[in-house]
Amino acid sequence: MSDNSSISGIIDSEAADINPLLQIGSHNDDCLKEDKYTELTEQSLQRIEKNDPSITSLLWRESNFNDEPSIIPRRVGIAIGNNIHIKHLQCENFLDEAICRGIAKNRSITHLHLHEIHHLEVISELISILFPFFGNNNKLCCLSLNSCELGESHPSYTNGIITALATALSTFNTLKSFDLGANSLTQDRAAEIINALRGHTNMNKINLSLNRLGKKGFLALVRVLKVCKVSDLDLGYCDIDDECATILVNALQKDTSLKKLCLDGQYAEFQDEQDIHITATGWGTLFSLLSRNLLEELSLYNTSFSLGNEEALVLAEYLTNNSTLKLLNLGENYNMGRTGWQAVFASLQTTALQSLDIRFNRNLPIRDLVRVLESPNCRLVSLNLYRIGLNDNEVIDIAHALADNKCLKELGLEQEGSTITKRGWDSLETVLCDVSSIENTFTSNHTLEDGVYGPGSLLGDLLDINKNNNASDAARVKIMRYHFAEESNGNENEMSAGMRILSVMDWSILPHVMAWMGRKHDREGHSTMYQLLRCIPELVEDQTQAKPALGKRKLGC
């Protein structure tokens, strides 16, 4: 096909709205964005004291109190206690009695995050001071006590803290989200707190990661799951053994609410405890949850100590023909061999998976992964290949697969730590914009838009074009930028090859081409129209001259 007819074909296809790329990625996002936290400063504190309605979130760290002498805990506590607009409050590594007394009077806070509060000797007292806040604030829906060392070995303090927290949780019932992550709790202490959640029947998100739940913790969790419709459950680094896996899965047999499950790091964080482990039997029990076609997200990051080929084969069996799973994280599972990965990749060709994370793995069967991208059933939008040791030939194979892939938007691939050379990076540039002809540029990949960080700026520029435009407009920008731009050879009178095509184009087609070029008021459109008028000056109507006859013309400049 000639370049002349290529341009005409491009216009016709867009006019008929047959370009499928126009529909990729369009969706209605009704989710609210997270509040942007306002950091505690003298200026923000004054606005809080005045009940400024524009401040609905507040964050402080210990440094905020050390850096500004005018910011004292008592003043902050009074301001929070009297404020009616703050909804999100995040306290990092600092909390004292005066502030807690202020929080106790507040009735507007919906999300309370206490992060890295390590004053074990006073935490139980602070929690007791907060009792009125928990008991009387019926707006509180999210409570986080992450990385507060509640399970550290200080018996004289820890028992009082756990009892105070369990008591506080029993005084109200409005929680929808509870985060107890990274507190190194033993199973007895974890069970006491988890049992106190049973009154919160609207709970839908629980994070218990990095705690030693054990059998008692899982039995307590099961009791909560029976009365709550939990959709998001984080059990990462909780040392699930076969018995705990059975307890959990049995409790979920009739449950239809669980959509997100995190099982990261099993038998990795506490590997010194040889009596706690999960076998292929336990993994098979957990993976059986996939057979119910309810889970949408499953994270198995860093489970290398227990997830090998045998377990991967079981996982692949349950993944096959799964219609609901959208996200799968298998990052840093270097104990899985090629046999396991081949089975998993083969199963993914039959799923509707949209996000796959396999970073920090080595010796992967890339050809099998390429088949996933080439599959007509592929729905992947995000693929993380960070630091998996790709070579040039493997990158070229991936680039070839992306030539016809119309769904992948993000490809995690970085120059840092890789052995990819210019040859490999060039293949990705070509698949994003093949400048060998106008037609090939039009049919290049206009979907991939993020995650690839290679040398030079061209790759980033092409990704930005895709990101900032729909597929049709991305094709237009690339064609005008790389085919119709003025030649950069120092001769301002030299036409680009694309402009030469336009200068001899049939008059009946040219108006449609000009409309296509100028349909958006952008740099590429303006520049191309300017070059076109320079090359075909008769396009500017001269009332003293007769109108040119229709048909092809000789080269105009």
Side-chain angles (χ1 to χ4, degrees), residues 54-89:
S54 66
I55 296 187
T56 59
S57 60
L58 179 65
L59 177 149
W60 71 67
R61 304 175 183 87
E62 188 172 10
S63 59
N64 295 112
F65 293 87
N66 296 333
D67 295 343
E68 297 196 41
S70 62
I71 300 179
I72 57 176
R74 183 174 181 273
R75 182 184 170 199
V76 173
I78 293 173
I80 293 174
N82 293 329
N83 192 278
I84 61 173
H85 299 294
I86 293 179
K87 298 181 183 302
H88 294 245
L89 180 61

Side-chain angles (χ1 to χ4, degrees), residues 310-373:
E310 182 180 358
E311 293 77 14
L313 292 173
V314 178
L315 173 61
E317 180 182 350
Y318 283 110
L319 283 173
T320 302
N321 294 320
N322 183 283
S323 61
T324 59
L325 195 67
K326 299 296 186 293
L327 181 150
L328 178 62
N329 188 343
L330 289 171
E332 202 167 347
N333 277 290
Y334 41 78
N335 203 33
M336 282 174 56
R338 293 182 70 86
T339 302
W341 283 111
Q342 285 173 339
V344 169
F345 290 152
S347 69
L348 294 183
Q349 296 181 46
T350 68
T351 71
L353 197 71
Q354 295 180 2
S355 177
L356 176 63
D357 189 338
I358 53 175
R359 58 187 151 160
F360 297 120
N361 288 295
R362 293 284 176 164
N363 301 315
L364 296 174
I366 298 302
R367 279 303 310 164
D368 294 275
L369 175 61
V370 166
R371 292 188 185 97
V372 177
L373 295 172

Side-chain angles (χ1 to χ4, degrees), residues 8 41 56 64 79 102 120 142 188 192 247 251 253 295 334 353 382 407:
S8 179
T41 62
T56 59
N64 295 112
L120 293 178
C142 176
D188 290 311
E192 185 175 354
I247 292 172
Q253 285 302 319
L295 275 183
Y334 41 78
L353 197 71
S382 175
C407 56

Side-chain angles (χ1 to χ4, degrees), residues 5-57:
S5 58
S6 293
I7 299 175
S8 179
I10 290 171
I11 297 170
D12 290 342
S13 70
E14 291 186 353
D17 195 26
I18 62 173
N19 189 347
L21 290 174
L22 291 174
Q23 306 302 321
I24 296 297
S26 61
H27 64 280
N28 184 19
D29 186 4
D30 293 326
C31 297
L32 294 175
K33 301 293 183 182
E34 289 188 5
D35 275 16
K36 183 178 179 180
Y37 280 93
T38 301
E39 189 161 356
L40 180 63
T41 62
E42 174 60 33
Q43 181 181 16
S44 63
L45 181 54
Q46 290 180 12
R47 292 169 63 190
I48 293 170
E49 289 173 327
K50 296 177 181 178
N51 254 310
D52 185 339
S54 66
I55 296 187
T56 59
S57 60

